[in-house]
């Protein structure tokens, strides 16, 4: 089911999401909603808090990246997997570890911050241990844009958004847009009689 993407200013985006303990139909429905909403929004990744569900789950689809000339190489359980087989990837209860000493600074955006982009420093490579929808554990090792997406989405599960990583100079550049978005969110929630704005 297509879900509304939560926006900057909604409390769920600042919460530490709960671990998934029930690997039943509810989780499968949540994963399907994440994948459908991600496709509709034409994004690379989407975390459960971004559709209003405070659970430790996110979906990534690297087939949607704009630079398809650069190969997207990664390993799952020690094996290189074709992109079309591995994607979309749904990670449940992920544990992300930065590996290597290299960092990259790139422009980053977020579906919860439409039209807002800023340079964010991230580790160039990560290792992620996660469960699939059947509660089987896997290891993903990736780098570049894929690693950036994993870190970005995993942050959402810890109540962290990409603007929390910005230096003061970068934050200042987008301050006006942030204030406008926060005001829009507040008005939307007030009009919809939603709770959860902070």
């Amino acid at each position: 089911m297509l879900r509304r993407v939560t926006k900057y200013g909604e409390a769920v985006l600042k919460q530490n999401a709960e671990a998934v303990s029930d690997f039943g139909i509810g989780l499968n429905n949540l994963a399907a909603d994440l994948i459908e909403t991600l496709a509709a929004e034409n994004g690379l990744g989407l975390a459960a808090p971004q559709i209003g569900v405070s659970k430790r789950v996110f979906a990534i689809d690297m087939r949607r990246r704009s630079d398809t000339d650069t190969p997207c190489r990664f390993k799952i359980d020690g094996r290189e997997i074709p992109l079309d087989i591995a994607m979309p990837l749904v990670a449940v209860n992920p544990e992300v570890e930065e590996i290597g000493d290299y960092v990259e600074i790139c422009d980053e955006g977020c579906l919860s911050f439409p039209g807002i982009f800023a340079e964010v420093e991230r580790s160039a490579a990560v290792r992620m241990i996660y469960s699939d929808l059947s509660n089987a554990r896997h290891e993903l090792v990736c780098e570049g844009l894929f690693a950036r997406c994993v870190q970005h989405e995993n942050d959402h599960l810890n109540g962290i958004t990409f603007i929390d990583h910005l230096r003061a100079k970068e934050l200042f550049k987008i301050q006006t847009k942030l204030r406008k978005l926060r005001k829009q969110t507040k008005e939307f929630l007030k009009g919809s009689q939603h709770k959860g704005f902070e």
Side-chain angles (χ1 to χ4, degrees):
M1 179 176 71
L2 196 60
R3 304 279 286 267
R4 173 187 164 269
V5 175
T6 54
K7 300 298 189 295
Y8 173 56
E10 295 189 55
V12 69
L13 292 176
K14 299 303 291 179
Q15 293 169 359
N16 209 352
E18 295 177 15
V20 172
S21 55
D22 184 356
F23 284 75
I25 191 152
L27 177 61
N28 282 275
N29 289 340
L30 174 58
D33 290 353
L34 278 169
I35 291 166
E36 186 176 343
T37 306
L38 179 61
E41 296 287 339
N42 200 28
L44 283 178
L46 192 65
Q50 291 182 276
I51 57 170
V53 181
S54 192
K55 292 287 186 183
R56 301 190 77 79
V57 185
F58 63 71
I60 288 178
D61 194 339
M62 292 305 296
R63 294 173 300 183
R64 301 187 174 283
R65 69 199 192 285
S66 54
D67 179 13
T68 53
D69 293 333
T70 303
C72 180
R73 298 184 63 199
F74 57 93
K75 288 183 177 180
I76 296 178
D77 299 333
R79 295 171 49 219
E80 289 195 19
I81 309 286
L83 203 59
D84 284 336
I85 292 175
M87 299 294 147
L89 183 141
V90 176
V92 183
N93 298 333
E95 298 165 20
V96 177
E97 173 193 2
E98 298 175 6
I99 53 176
D101 297 324
Y102 293 103
V103 294
E104 294 177 336
I105 299 174
C106 294
D107 246 15
E108 204 166 298
C110 179
L111 293 175
S112 294
F113 293 75
I116 299 176
F117 299 90
E119 288 188 344
V120 180
E121 183 179 293
R122 301 266 189 196
S123 178
V126 297
R127 177 186 295 111
M128 176 174 72
I129 306 296
Y130 67 99
S131 293
D132 62 21
L133 296 177
S134 302
N135 199 15
R137 295 295 271 177
H138 300 282
E139 178 193 65
L140 166 76
V141 176
C142 60
E143 58 188 31
L145 182 59
F146 197 174
R148 178 168 293 272
C149 287
V150 166
Q151 291 168 87
H152 179 112
E153 299 311 328
N154 191 63
D155 273 353
H156 276 300
L157 308 185
N158 297 315
I160 299 167
T161 61
F162 81 106
I163 66 167
D164 295 320
H165 291 283
L166 300 185
R167 297 185 178 100
K169 183 180 173 185
E170 288 295 315
L171 198 55
F172 179 77
K173 288 180 190 175
I174 61 171
Q175 204 59 250
T176 302
K177 289 181 178 179
L178 286 174
R179 278 196 294 267
K180 184 179 178 184
L181 177 56
R182 194 175 179 93
K183 185 180 177 186
Q184 289 171 347
T185 303
K186 190 173 186 178
E187 288 170 355
F188 170 81
L189 293 173
K190 192 176 177 183
S192 303
Q193 296 181 335
H194 279 58
K195 294 181 179 177
F197 182 80
E198 58 171 29

